[in-house]
Amino acid sequence: MKVLVTEELSAAGLALLREHFQVEEKLGLKPEELKEALRDSTAVIVRSKTQLKGTMLDGTALKVIGRAGVGYDNIDLEAASRNG
């Protein structure tokens, strides 16, 4: 499983993820770069800066969106549901 991490996480958290998954850390992506990176990722972990909105999720392999923090106003729940 490929996990895309788009914002800084603790080294300990990343180490735990890497024990079980292929982790790709890509910070500070522009929207078009993020959409491309999501295309073959099974999971994505975001914080508050990454905006997963509109058609950003269309055509991706995503099964899981993880939000490290409180709230989900930066995640388009309708688009996520539409894309499974």
Side-chain angles (χ1 to χ4, degrees), residues 2 15 20 37 44 48 61 71 80 82-83:
K2 181 177 171 186
H20 302 281
V44 62
S48 58
R82 183 177 65 243
N83 285 283

Side-chain angles (χ1 to χ4, degrees), residues 2 13 28-29 35 37 39 43 50 55 65 74 77:
K2 181 177 171 186
L29 295 174
K35 186 169 183 166
R39 205 171 293 281
T50 303
T55 61
I65 298 172
N74 58 321
L77 298 181

Side-chain angles (χ1 to χ4, degrees), residues 7 16 25 29 32-33 36 46 48 51 55 68-69 71 74 80:
E7 296 181 58
L16 257 174
E25 201 176 357
L29 295 174
E32 58 276 359
E33 296 169 326
E36 183 62 33
V46 301
S48 58
Q51 299 293 310
T55 61
N74 58 321

Side-chain angles (χ1 to χ4, degrees), residues 31-65:
E32 58 276 359
E33 296 169 326
L34 176 58
K35 186 169 183 166
E36 183 62 33
L38 288 171
R39 205 171 293 281
D40 65 344
S41 298
T42 311
V44 62
I45 299 176
V46 301
R47 294 189 73 169
S48 58
K49 289 182 187 176
T50 303
Q51 299 293 310
L52 298 177
K53 302 279 186 171
T55 61
M56 175 83 52
L57 303 173
D58 292 349
T60 68
L62 285 177
K63 299 294 179 203
V64 175
I65 298 172

Side-chain angles (χ1 to χ4, degrees), residues 5 9-19 23 45:
V5 177
L9 296 180
S10 72
L14 287 171
L16 257 174
L17 286 170
R18 288 190 171 111
E19 286 179 19
V23 176
I45 299 176

